[in-house]
Amino acid sequence: MTELVVIRGNSASGKTSLAKLVQAKIPASLLVSQDVLRIDMLQVKDRPQNLAIPLIQQTVLFGIDRVDVVILEGILRRDVYGDMLTELGEKFSRVAVYYLDVPLQTTLARHAQRPEAAKFSADHLIDWYRPHDQLSLQNETNFDESWSLNQMAAHILQALKS
């Protein structure tokens, strides 16, 4: 049975790094990145009903019965992707959602150290930032800035084993 792991949070909160670290430890896994599908492939804005929503959904569903774990990572704003995430949750036997609840100042500091810093400014991050954008699901875990990348990955991997 394929499990779904959703890793969400604001830009520069550590989602992609965490998702890649978790995937590296799970041989039979599929990593679906919102930015790859929405920006790199479709070049669409992050708005309701954008073309990336059904593409993300279909890509995640492709993993059912083909891999052990599908990892979906991205900002995945509640107001834009919430319905799609709820629908996906109904298709998988087991779903775990992780939200990186990192303060704006921390995301700004992290962004300044990233290669992507040249692609968009701190002002963009401030405009995009949505505090506490959790889905409020029963199986949603919040990671605040006190969690290291390795601690978060270990927590997710342990949960997958249980």
Side-chain angles (χ1 to χ4, degrees), residues 3-10 13-15 18-19 22 69-76 85 94-101 133-135 137 139-144 147 151-162:
E3 298 181 59
L4 175 62
V5 172
V6 179
I7 300 173
R8 304 175 56 249
N10 281 294
S13 62
K15 304 172 304 297
L18 176 58
V22 170
V69 178
V70 175
I71 304 163
L72 171 60
E73 72 85 15
I75 295 171
L76 299 166
L85 292 170
R94 187 168 167 200
V95 179
V97 179
Y98 299 92
Y99 182 74
L100 280 63
D101 194 10
D133 192 42
Q134 293 93 336
L135 297 171
L137 299 173
N139 56 348
E140 186 172 28
T141 300
N142 291 330
F143 292 130
D144 63 25
W147 288 74
Q151 288 172 325
M152 290 185 289
H155 181 87
I156 293 170
L157 293 166
Q158 184 61 41
L160 286 168
K161 289 179 185 177
S162 59

